[in-house]
Amino acid sequence: MADASVGTPCRRGRRTPIFGSLVLILSGAVTGASPPLLVFDPGGGAALDDSSRQSVGAAGMLEPHTGSLLIDYYETFLRDRDLGEFRERVLARYTEETLCRVLASSPHANARRGAVLALGVMGTFDGCNSTLGRAMRDDDSVVRTMAERALWVIWFRADSPENNQTLEEVRLLAATGRSDEAIDLAAKLIARAPRLAEAYNQRAIAYFKLGRYAESAEDCQRVLAVNPYHIGALGGLAQCQLQLEQPREALKTLRRSLKLQPHSQALSDNIRALEAGLESDGSR
């Protein structure tokens, strides 16, 4: 899911007495967040360390697969914050396939950061979803954060412009408490675009807000059948499983999510809390 706030009481449904507190502490990284409009370098990564600057300065000496030009483009973007110029320069020299190769194999963090930024701006679901999904395991924390943000942007533009616009309308309906309308519009969108995973995810959010946890869980499973890297659907599924008093299934779901985000301290903490709850409850 994406916009369902775990700290907001649901209108209907049960809350598991032992594990209910876990639902409240699930982090935004688990439950997902509203998709960003742009995929900028997230703050702390903007300042280059000395080794990074040396890599940029020696860009012309790097092998092609390292994304040497991309490092220059990325540094220029950090200085000027001109996303349009960055996009045009990348389009002139790189294909989506090449950007994916740089992200997957370059030893230079700034090249991988530049590749993530470029894919967030111009990438397609079929072309880069799996590469960005794997980048959530990157050794560089900036790459990981940017990859997650880029994924949300790509998921919201994964179909035709008309269907993408309808998807945004569904999101807004769910986000503003008009869940029944969101469900109806999402059903129409799904009928037109049955492979648009985010349509199921947004409907899952609306179901969850109405306390219809079983239906929400089913839609989360549909999302994951199309897009196994959808961390929002995994977080939403875990929430539904807790609400449905299925803590062991929720634990499996959270462990699956941790495989996608092994550096997530919040996920690790939630898993340990749930394991402790199951052990004290004698459910293991």
Side-chain angles (χ1 to χ4, degrees):
M1 292 189 289
D3 293 339
S5 174
V6 291
T8 303
C10 297
R11 288 184 243 172
R12 300 200 302 270
R14 302 170 294 178
R15 183 177 293 280
T16 319
I18 292 177
F19 303 104
S21 60
L22 185 69
V23 180
L24 297 177
I25 66 171
L26 285 168
S27 72
V30 180
T31 61
S34 297
L37 297 178
L38 295 174
V39 190
F40 289 146
D41 188 324
L48 302 180
D49 57 27
D50 290 341
S51 62
S52 296
R53 291 189 183 279
Q54 290 170 6
S55 296
V56 172
M61 300 171 61
L62 301 177
E63 293 298 321
H65 77 276
T66 64
S68 56
L69 283 173
L70 198 56
I71 295 175
D72 284 337
Y73 298 164
Y74 180 67
E75 184 186 42
T76 300
F77 167 75
L78 292 180
R79 184 181 65 247
D80 299 339
R81 295 287 164 169
D82 188 336
L83 192 62
E85 177 65 19
F86 174 82
R87 180 180 184 276
E88 291 305 313
R89 295 182 77 184
V90 172
L91 278 172
R93 293 295 187 111
Y94 290 90
T95 65
E96 183 177 23
E97 182 179 1
T98 303
L99 289 169
C100 286
R101 284 202 301 269
V102 171
L103 178 55
S105 63
S106 176
H108 299 277
N110 282 327
R112 302 197 304 277
R113 294 176 188 181
V116 171
L117 179 61
L119 290 170
V121 172
M122 57 188 251
T124 63
F125 180 83
D126 290 337
C128 67
N129 183 65
S130 60
T131 302
L132 285 170
R134 289 189 292 272
M136 291 190 292
R137 301 194 293 260
D138 196 276
D139 291 336
D140 182 70
S141 62
V142 175
V143 171
R144 296 196 300 268
T145 301
M146 293 177 73
E148 181 179 340
R149 295 182 179 185
L151 283 167
W152 280 106
V153 173
I154 287 168
W155 296 340
F156 269 81
R157 65 162 187 253
D159 209 279
S160 68
E162 179 185 1
N163 288 342
N164 293 341
Q165 178 59 41
T166 302
L167 177 61
E168 175 61 14
E169 292 171 10
V170 173
R171 186 190 72 80
L172 287 172
L173 288 170
T176 55
R178 299 162 66 182
S179 297
D180 288 318
E181 294 175 67
I183 290 168
D184 289 342
L185 185 57
K188 295 176 183 177
L189 177 57
I190 288 167
R192 293 201 308 266
R195 296 288 294 173
L196 181 54
E198 194 56 38
Y200 296 101
N201 186 54
Q202 293 301 310
R203 189 170 68 175
I205 293 168
Y207 278 139
F208 188 92
K209 289 185 174 183
L210 292 174
R212 296 166 64 175
Y213 305 121
E215 290 160 292
S216 182
E218 289 175 0
D219 268 350
C220 287
Q221 294 281 20
R222 293 185 179 103
V223 175
L224 294 167
V226 177
N227 181 8
Y229 295 98
H230 202 300
I231 54 175
L234 283 167
L237 179 59
Q239 291 182 74
C240 292
Q241 289 164 334
L242 288 170
Q243 295 287 358
L244 294 167
E245 300 185 10
Q246 300 170 349
R248 283 175 289 181
E249 293 304 311
L251 181 58
K252 293 177 184 178
T253 300
L254 291 178
R255 286 172 174 166
R256 177 179 174 183
S257 189
L258 187 62
K259 291 181 180 179
L260 297 179
Q261 298 178 290
H263 298 277
S264 172
Q265 187 60 51
L267 265 174
S268 297
D269 291 344
N270 286 322
I271 288 171
R272 282 194 294 269
L274 186 49
E275 288 173 338
L278 283 167
E279 186 172 0
S280 65
D281 191 42
S283 300
R284 296 183 69 181

